[in-house]
Structure formats: C-alpha cells, structure tokens
Amino acid sequence: MIIQENTIIHGDSLTVLRQMEPESVDAIITDPPYGINYVSQTGASIKNDKSPFIWFLYDAFRVLKSGESGHGGLICFTRWDVEQTFIDAMKIAGFNVKSEVIWDKVYHGMGDTKAAFAPSHENIVFAIKGKYSFPGSRLYSILCHLHRYVCSLLLRGGLYSFHRRSGQIRNTRYRSGTLQ
C-alpha cells in the first residue's frame, strides 16, 4: 500500500498496518483500547476493550521509519493501571521506551465518582525506533497544549491540528525550534 504524504488513514489497525510498506510512516499517534471493558451509562462500549490492545505494535514498529531518518516516534495514550502492559509490549515489539508524558486536560474525565480521584490527565508513553533526537530543544513531560507538543516532537513540516479551545483546524508549521 503506497500512502500519499500528509495522509490520515482510518481503519482497523491490524488490517491496515499489514498492508503498508516497511519504514513508510514518520510518526504514530495512537489511543488504543486500554483493556478496561469500559461501558458508558448508556450502555455503549469500546470494541476490543476486554484486555489491553497491544497486537498492533509489531506492525507499527515495522512500518515506522527508523530514527536515523530523523523520525521514528510513537506516542501511545494509556491509563495508569495498564500502562506497564503497553510498555512491556512496546519493548517486545522492538521499541525503545524513552519517557512518560502527562497531558493535563484541565477538566476531569470519567470514573468512580465516589471512591476515586477525578482524573484530569492522560498518561502517554513516548517510544522510538532507532536513534531519535528532538527537533529543537528538549520538551517538558507535562503538556497543557498537546497538539503543539506533538507537532514539535514528531514532525518536521506541516501538520493540520485540532485546536482544543477554539474548535478550529489549523495548519501548524515547525521551523527552527518554534511553532508558527
């Protein structure tokens, strides 16, 4: 499968990744099912959420460009109680796990309202393939504006991103250590 530059692909990762050429992807940003068997108050559930969905990682590693090309980053959203499962699976797949990043979402999410703290953050695991260095300066591990950091962290060019507060889609460009 040949992919045009700046393309977002929507589909089943187990099918799509296997059709892609080796080392054909600059960065992977994913929020896989955590394996918590989530069911909403309306009864809606998440597909493949019975156990941590790690099965895409081998093919993700295969299609990701090596860090020697100046790319090769994986951003994987997770949750505190299944994070180690994802980290272990990433290492087995070949990734070098570099750090945990916390996204401060400002507003709290779902969960047990009577016996657990209201989560206002998301855990993110940052892993690489091969050698990798940040474009520009080192970034902080607590993020308040996720889209800007993901742009500067992984991509060296343009990226269309969703601005959380305004709801606008913007073309964000990274140049010489600054975001424009």
Side-chain angles (χ1 to χ4, degrees):
M1 168 192 274
I2 304 284
I3 301 171
Q4 298 299 318
E5 190 172 324
N6 298 322
T7 301
I8 295 174
I9 299 170
H10 177 52
D12 183 334
S13 64
L14 296 179
T15 303
V16 173
L17 286 171
R18 290 182 183 139
Q19 297 171 357
M20 298 171 71
E21 298 294 320
E23 298 205 7
S24 60
V25 176
D26 294 329
I28 296 173
I29 304 169
T30 183
D31 191 9
Y34 300 157
I36 58 173
N37 203 19
Y38 175 77
V39 179
S40 74
Q41 292 178 349
T42 63
S45 62
I46 298 171
K47 186 178 178 181
N48 297 319
D49 196 35
K50 301 281 189 243
S51 62
F53 191 76
I54 57 174
W55 314 114
F56 70 98
L57 288 168
Y58 287 108
D59 286 312
F61 185 81
R62 182 184 64 77
V63 302
L64 191 63
K65 289 181 181 175
S66 173
E68 284 79 17
S69 66
H71 303 281
L74 168 71
I75 295 279
C76 184
F77 289 78
T78 185
R79 200 172 91 156
W80 68 272
D81 54 346
V82 294
E83 183 175 37
Q84 192 60 50
T85 301
F86 281 97
I87 289 171
D88 293 343
M90 287 175 199
K91 289 177 179 178
I92 290 169
F95 286 100
N96 181 4
V97 176
K98 296 300 284 183
S99 56
E100 176 184 47
V101 180
I102 301 297
W103 173 25
D104 178 359
K105 299 190 313 184
V106 181
Y107 303 103
H108 70 81
M110 350 174 223
D112 183 346
T113 59
K114 301 211 185 270
F117 288 92
S120 62
H121 72 283
E122 293 227 14
N123 299 43
I124 302 168
V125 177
F126 174 59
I128 62 171
K129 177 179 180 179
K131 191 174 184 179
Y132 181 90
S133 61
F134 291 119
S137 61
R138 186 179 189 191
L139 302 173
Y140 294 103
S141 64
I142 298 178
L143 311 178
C144 294
H145 298 287
L146 181 65
H147 74 284
R148 290 184 181 182
Y149 285 97
V150 170
C151 292
S152 64
L153 179 68
L154 293 174
L155 304 174
R156 290 159 170 71
L159 172 74
Y160 287 92
S161 62
F162 180 75
H163 189 263
R164 189 171 50 136
R165 294 193 192 266
S166 69
Q168 296 176 338
I169 294 179
R170 299 178 176 176
N171 185 3
T172 306
R173 295 229 174 251
Y174 175 83
R175 288 198 184 119
S176 304
T178 62
L179 285 165
Q180 301 175 344

